[in-house]
Amino acid sequence: MAHLGSRRGRALALPAGLALTASLGFLPSGVASAADLSDAPAASVAVTNGPKLSYVVNVEGGRWTAASVKKAIAAAGGEVVISYDQIGVIVVHSQNPEFAKTLRQARGVASVGSTRTAPLSVQSDDAVDEGAQSLSAAEAKAAAATATDEQDPLEPLQWDLPAIKADKAHQKTLGSKRVTVGVIDTGVDDTHPDLAPNFDAKASANCVSGKPDTTAGSWRPNPGESDHGTHVAGTIAAAKNGVGITGVAPGVKVSGIKVSTPDGFFYTEAVVCGFVWAAEHGVDITNNSYYTDPWMFACKNDEDQKALIEAVTRATRYAERKGTVNVAAAGNSKFDLAADSIVDNSSPNDTTPGDRVIDPKECLDYPAMLPGVVTVSATGAKDLKASYSNYGLGVIDIAAPGGDRTEYQTPDAPAVNGRILSTTVNGGYNYKAGTSMASPHAAGVLALIKSTHPYASPAALKALLYAQADKRACTNPYDIEGDGKIDAVCEGGKNKNGFYGAGLIDALDAVRW
């Protein structure tokens, strides 16, 4: 069984042990004729006794083409789970091993790809997130004793807020209730006392199957599932209510869009569903602290992987056209995403991974590396690139606090832990580190900008985010481990470089420009 903390961080979070992390069948049994395949080459019998897989089918043209393609899908032994006609993406299940190959030849099909290498199955429900470090009772008590009248009890432990001037921003505004940030993640526990006041249930759903489920509470993590999304949500919008912590934008709304299986996999059909749901339910900003499984980097020269990239690209572009800004974590593998080549030894992570050398210009960590998506690297308590954070000139758009090992970047007192403190399930709080934690800081600042400029377009909001950032020159030489060895090389100038992009986010400028 795959565990969330055991793979590059399904959810891009750094565990306490500091291993680098971020992590249905109703099929027809009939016979297909050549005519049924809607101009596809003749097929005899559509085999339906193979392993059940999930596919995305990307359609060329409009709704009339989609109707024709759906006939070809049925003839090839597939069943439509849901059709996102607004972006030309159809989610399909099939037990025909030749399904993708057959359908690629049908008229009106742009691309087809299996979203996984493991068969669809009933997922286990006991996966755990190993990426947390507990908040001790002594730390909580000491923090409460030092908190000012303007601070929530645990806010003195949140070194990340003054790092981006969020504490000063809150003296001007907490953000607008008319702004909603959607957390596309492992689910959000909206019963948490720091999240309940700001939770937007109408903009929440469970998208794990690729089809939205709006059953009340379906967006929550089940017992034993990861608290990752709940932690992210707290960083964005934990209420300033005299309880626990304070979010970057504690006056805005937050929604939960669950896209992770119980085992911690974020498959393409779920991610597509998440973006489309957000686009059509008033979500102004999405936060995406994950990469889409099973490929850490999906390659455009592979027929399956190309289709996955295309489907999510269509979804993110659709969301932006609808007014949504999409923010994503850069990843926690110390990779230079602008390098000529990268060794990916973790893909596919749902069956048996193998070593492969990829070109990051052709093989993308998505959604982070998709056009238009705000890509966020992580900094620690000393404002340096976090030891684990991916980087890359022209790839990283902006930097934000994600935390680091306390011994690498020790925060100033009264904070005691170099990671990020936020909400967890069952009303608790814990520490995590990763670009997963950096991305929601940027999403929170964007929510403050949107609150200040309610009619600004996504392009304008992103431009303000970059223009307001505090410029950070390259950190060279970069020896974060202090052992005399260079751990990474930053390229670029002060205004734009591979470690910090346009700079460190600035919450105060977000509310006064």
Side-chain angles (χ1 to χ4, degrees):
M1 179 189 62
H3 285 255
L4 199 66
S6 64
R7 310 187 298 279
R8 182 231 184 186
R10 205 50 331 283
L12 307 186
L14 190 66
L18 297 163
L20 297 174
T21 74
S23 45
L24 297 152
F26 310 96
L27 297 173
S29 56
V31 176
S33 69
D36 291 332
L37 286 171
S38 300
D39 300 306
S44 53
V45 177
V47 178
T48 57
N49 61 357
K52 191 186 302 181
L53 292 176
S54 180
Y55 298 85
V56 286
V57 179
N58 299 310
V59 177
E60 293 176 336
R63 293 176 184 268
W64 291 108
T65 305
S68 173
V69 170
K70 288 170 190 175
K71 293 179 181 178
I73 288 169
E79 178 177 355
V80 173
V81 175
I82 188 170
S83 182
Y84 292 105
D85 291 344
Q86 59 272 62
I87 60 171
V89 176
I90 306 173
V91 179
V92 179
H93 291 169
S94 180
Q95 288 183 259
N96 179 4
E98 297 294 311
F99 175 80
K101 182 178 179 181
T102 300
L103 205 66
R104 285 178 189 133
Q105 300 175 68
R107 179 177 294 179
V109 172
S111 58
V112 182
S114 174
T115 66
R116 61 195 73 199
T117 61
L120 279 158
S121 63
V122 178
Q123 300 286 346
S124 65
D125 61 2
D126 60 349
V128 296
D129 184 4
E130 302 164 344
Q133 191 170 70
S134 298
L135 170 70
S136 72
E139 287 174 355
K141 183 177 180 181
T146 61
T148 67
D149 291 341
E150 291 75 33
Q151 290 181 313
D152 280 344
L154 299 180
E155 194 172 336
L157 301 176
Q158 293 182 267
W159 58 265
D160 48 311
L161 296 185
I164 61 171
K165 305 171 200 168
D167 53 338
K168 294 179 180 178
H170 296 164
Q171 295 172 10
K172 294 181 174 293
T173 179
L174 302 180
S176 171
K177 294 289 187 187
R178 292 185 293 274
V179 174
T180 295
V181 182
V183 176
I184 301 179
D185 212 297
T186 63
V188 173
D189 181 2
D190 56 303
T191 68
H192 194 292
D194 245 346
L195 298 177
N198 291 336
F199 193 75
D200 187 347
K202 292 182 180 178
S204 299
N206 183 323
C207 272
V208 174
S209 71
K211 182 177 182 179
D213 173 9
T214 58
T215 305
S218 64
W219 50 76
R220 297 174 192 145
N222 292 318
E225 291 182 353
S226 172
D227 68 340
H228 188 272
T230 302
H231 196 280
V232 165
T235 294
I236 296 167
K240 198 167 186 65
N241 57 352
V243 175
I245 66 161
T246 300
V248 173
V252 307
K253 293 289 188 180
V254 64
S255 73
I257 305 172
K258 186 176 181 179
V259 297
S260 170
T261 71
D263 286 332
F265 292 103
F266 295 69
Y267 287 119
T268 294
E269 63 267 35
V271 173
V272 167
C273 172
F275 283 115
V276 174
W277 174 267
E280 297 184 346
H281 290 83
V283 172
D284 300 287
I285 298 113
T286 67
N287 186 83
N288 303 270
S289 292
Y290 58 89
Y291 70 86
T292 310
D293 293 300
W295 308 96
M296 180 182 286
F297 295 92
C299 298
K300 297 177 183 178
N301 61 358
D302 178 276
E303 290 287 353
D304 282 293
Q305 295 168 43
K306 175 181 72 173
L308 308 186
I309 297 171
E310 175 64 20
V312 176
T313 299
R314 291 184 182 197
T316 58
R317 285 177 171 168
Y318 178 71
E320 183 156 345
R321 289 197 303 271
K322 286 284 200 175
T324 305
V325 180
N326 301 308
V327 185
N332 303 336
S333 300
K334 307 182 188 179
F335 287 149
D336 179 355
L337 298 175
D340 293 331
S341 64
I342 291 173
V343 177
D344 173 14
N345 59 10
S346 66
S347 302
N349 63 10
D350 60 350
T351 48
T352 304
D355 287 351
R356 59 177 188 157
V357 178
I358 63 96
D359 177 354
K361 292 184 289 295
E362 298 297 325
C363 302
L364 307 182
D365 175 336
Y366 69 107
M369 294 175 72
L370 296 182
V373 174
V374 177
T375 308
V376 187
S377 65
T379 57
K382 295 304 182 187
D383 277 356
L384 300 175
K385 183 189 87 70
S387 57
Y388 53 81
S389 182
N390 287 350
Y391 57 101
L393 181 61
V395 179
I396 300 302
D397 292 311
I398 203 154
D404 205 348
R405 296 188 184 199
T406 305
E407 60 267 34
Y408 289 171
Q409 301 194 55
T410 306
D412 293 335
V416 295
N417 195 308
R419 299 167 186 80
I420 303 298
L421 181 65
S422 190
T423 47
T424 184
V425 295
N426 301 320
Y429 302 87
N430 62 19
Y431 292 99
K432 295 183 190 291
T435 55
S436 277
M437 284 64 251
S439 181
H441 283 84
V445 169
L446 276 164
L448 292 176
I449 297 174
K450 180 68 173 178
S451 299
T452 308
H453 304 278
Y455 303 109
S457 67
L461 294 172
K462 288 187 283 186
L464 285 168
L465 179 73
Y466 304 147
Q468 294 170 2
D470 293 335
K471 306 306 176 188
R472 289 285 186 274
C474 272
T475 306
N476 286 320
Y478 179 77
D479 175 20
I480 195 70
E481 298 181 13
D483 58 2
K485 297 179 182 179
I486 301 302
D487 296 308
V489 176
C490 178
E491 297 180 335
K494 185 174 182 179
N495 290 331
K496 186 77 173 181
N497 59 63
F499 275 14
Y500 310 109
L504 185 70
I505 56 172
D506 188 323
L508 181 57
D509 280 350
V511 301
R512 67 183 182 186
W513 274 33

